Amino acid sequence: MATLGDIGVSAALNLLGAFIFLLAFAFLRLQPFNDRVYFPKWYLKGLRSSPSRSGAFVRRFVNLDFRSYARFLNWMPVALKMPEPELIDHAGLDSAVYLRIYLIGLKIFIPVALLAWAVLVPVNWTSKGLVVAKNETSSDIDKLSISNISDGDHRLWTHIVMAYAFTFWTCYVLLKEYEIVASMRLQFLATEKRRPDQFTVLVRNVPPDPDESVSENVEHFFLVNHPDHYLTHQVVYNANKLATLVKKKKKMLNWLVYYNNKFSRNDSARPLVKTGFLGLWGKRVDAIEYYTSEIDKLSKEMAEERERIASDSNSVMPAAFVSFKTRWGAAVCAQTQQCRNPTVWLTEWAPEPRDVYWKNLAIPYVSLRIRRLIMGVAFFFLTFFFMIPIALVQSLASIEGIEKAAPFLKHIIEM
């Protein structure tokens, strides 16, 4: 049976783990290279700019202002005191809902804990179940639990009634909080500026038609089934190779700007670069001329790739972004089945344009389902085998377990 020492050790291990994660979060949050990760909304609003790139090289990646580490928890009381409308405008709706989750926990836990201590603890303590069973391995902590009530004792009805009371209170609090969060979300959407993704639906697995192209098929389907709300559409092309070229050209442009700035600061010598792998070896050439010529080559390759995509019907994927005249029309289309066959004309809300991972749009429907199945199976086994390290940690959550795992701590444990 569990003892007070076992519970204390378990609580200490959990508190220590939580404190370590909190310190890691605080440390990473203050580093310049994570600034855009933890303050994206401020960058979108223009209230924050990238950390200074001047000064020591280490300062570009590591925050060397040790006074900021002493104030790493100052944001917590400010966030808790901030009114919800101001918090939503400052950090977004998700942040306000996330803080409400903690408030929900307090609303559920505090009344339940008070009621349990006022009703269940006296009922369990005054029972003699462990004495009747002559359980010599029990402790005073066990007298506070249901294990101190013997089978057939009328005190068990108290636990049944309290179980229903706790369940009712929990469901009631969750219902009320769900209503509040739903109202907050509707108000947030109503006051937000209109965005293209609010009027757009992503359509996948468009069935082939021998008489029409994918674009004509999509237009004909939505004109027939959504005549009052359909506006326009854009089919999806398999332009993964073009995207790679664009990414490569952007990288080359960054290097060209870098060497142009370097030459403008010191025009006495032209900057040189090695043409080998990662610039580690190879022939040394003029950096500005080299990157200019590489950009011109990539521009020609991109133009050729665009022409190939436009002329090749196989580059058109069975998917399209369909825009509607109203949010209501887009919502109806995104949340309803469009065809008797549930595997074609699959609709879902279109993600925000910057959140689209274009490479995945070229994945066929069957392949996508297989990948999701594989991930589901992998997640199951990951969760299942995760119980092994959990069991190992729990085995160390008792005084005896620690003494067996670390015999050199025996004298400290006995003290």
Side-chain angles (χ1 to χ4, degrees):
M1 296 292 183
T3 62
L4 187 60
D6 297 337
I7 296 175
V9 171
S10 180
L13 290 176
N14 284 281
L15 289 174
L16 179 62
F19 184 70
I20 291 174
F21 279 107
L22 180 62
L23 288 181
F25 164 77
F27 177 80
L28 294 174
R29 176 177 171 271
L30 296 175
Q31 306 313 309
F33 63 89
N34 280 332
D35 203 59
R36 287 184 177 271
V37 176
Y38 288 99
F39 304 97
K41 196 173 181 67
W42 289 17
Y43 280 93
L44 292 175
K45 287 188 173 184
L47 301 176
R48 196 179 184 95
S49 58
S50 298
S52 175
R53 294 293 180 179
S54 59
F57 178 77
V58 180
R59 289 182 178 272
R60 302 179 185 179
F61 304 96
V62 181
N63 184 2
L64 299 180
D65 184 9
F66 296 101
R67 292 175 298 179
S68 62
Y69 293 99
R71 305 187 302 268
F72 74 97
L73 291 179
N74 287 0
W75 62 272
M76 295 179 68
V78 176
L80 293 174
K81 295 178 182 179
M82 186 178 294
E84 278 190 346
E86 185 179 347
L87 179 62
I88 293 173
D89 182 68
H90 178 75
L93 179 64
D94 292 343
S95 300
V97 175
Y98 187 74
L99 288 179
R100 291 199 69 91
I101 293 176
Y102 289 97
L103 298 178
I104 292 172
L106 293 176
K107 288 180 181 180
I108 294 175
F109 175 76
I110 293 178
V112 167
L114 293 176
L115 191 60
W117 278 96
V119 178
L120 292 182
V121 170
V123 170
N124 295 336
W125 183 263
T126 56
S127 182
K128 305 296 182 181
L130 294 176
V131 176
V132 174
K134 297 181 180 180
N135 193 338
E136 298 178 356
T137 61
S138 62
S139 62
D140 290 338
I141 294 296
D142 297 313
K143 294 180 181 179
L144 301 177
S145 67
I146 195 175
S147 60
N148 195 29
I149 300 178
S150 58
D151 295 340
D153 195 328
H154 64 278
R155 289 182 174 85
L156 288 173
W157 283 103
T158 307
H159 283 271
I160 296 175
V161 173
M162 288 296 101
Y164 276 101
F166 296 160
T167 304
F168 173 79
W169 174 249
T170 302
C171 293
Y172 175 77
V173 172
L174 291 177
L175 177 63
K176 291 299 180 182
E177 288 296 327
Y178 178 82
E179 293 176 354
I180 295 173
V181 172
S183 177
M184 290 170 55
R185 180 177 181 273
L186 290 176
Q187 186 177 1
F188 176 77
L189 293 176
T191 57
E192 195 179 25
K193 294 181 179 179
R194 293 189 174 187
R195 302 193 314 268
D197 55 287
Q198 295 175 342
F199 298 83
T200 307
V201 170
L202 174 60
V203 183
R204 289 179 177 270
N205 212 31
V206 177
D209 192 322
D211 300 325
E212 292 181 328
S213 63
V214 174
S215 180
E216 294 172 343
N217 193 12
V218 171
E219 182 178 16
H220 179 260
F221 179 85
F222 283 95
L223 281 175
V224 172
N225 293 277
H226 301 271
D228 298 329
H229 303 284
Y230 169 74
L231 180 63
T232 185
H233 74 279
Q234 172 62 53
V235 295
V236 177
Y237 292 89
N238 186 357
N240 289 344
K241 183 178 179 181
L242 178 61
T244 303
L245 294 175
V246 171
K247 185 177 180 181
K248 188 175 180 181
K249 182 182 178 180
K250 185 178 180 181
K251 182 179 179 181
M252 293 290 181
L253 284 170
N254 290 337
W255 279 113
L256 179 62
V257 171
Y258 168 76
Y259 283 112
N260 276 325
N261 293 336
K262 186 178 181 180
F263 180 66
S264 64
R265 289 193 296 266
N266 183 17
D267 56 0
S268 60
R270 301 273 293 184
L272 302 176
V273 66
K274 294 181 180 181
T275 58
F277 178 71
L278 294 178
L280 299 177
W281 56 74
K283 183 180 178 181
R284 298 179 67 90
V285 296
D286 186 283
I288 297 177
E289 294 180 358
Y290 170 74
Y291 283 109
T292 302
S293 63
E294 290 295 317
I295 291 172
D296 292 338
K297 292 179 183 178
L298 288 173
S299 298
K300 294 179 181 179
E301 292 182 22
M302 288 168 58
E304 294 175 357
E305 183 64 17
R306 284 195 183 96
E307 293 179 1
R308 186 193 68 80
I309 293 173
S311 59
D312 186 7
S313 60
N314 293 328
S315 297
V316 181
M317 304 305 300
F321 289 96
V322 182
S323 297
F324 293 82
K325 299 176 183 178
T326 62
R327 293 180 181 176
W328 185 86
V332 170
C333 180
Q335 301 177 45
T336 56
Q337 184 174 319
Q338 303 298 313
C339 182
R340 290 183 179 179
N341 186 350
T343 63
V344 298
W345 296 109
L346 304 176
T347 56
E348 59 183 278
W349 278 109
E352 204 269 348
R354 289 168 295 184
D355 293 337
V356 178
Y357 192 69
W358 297 98
K359 291 184 178 180
N360 283 357
L361 291 178
I363 301 176
Y365 172 77
V366 176
S367 176
L368 189 64
R369 289 295 178 180
I370 293 175
R371 294 185 185 196
R372 288 178 177 174
L373 177 62
I374 294 174
M375 290 304 299
V377 173
F379 178 76
F380 168 77
F381 282 105
L382 176 64
T383 306
F384 180 78
F385 287 107
F386 187 67
M387 289 187 287
I388 297 176
I390 291 296
L392 179 62
V393 172
Q394 289 299 321
S395 66
L396 298 176
S398 63
I399 299 296
E400 294 80 4
I402 295 177
E403 186 174 352
K404 291 179 181 179
F408 59 90
L409 297 176
K410 180 178 180 180
H411 296 291
I412 299 177
I413 292 173
E414 289 178 351
M415 288 167 47

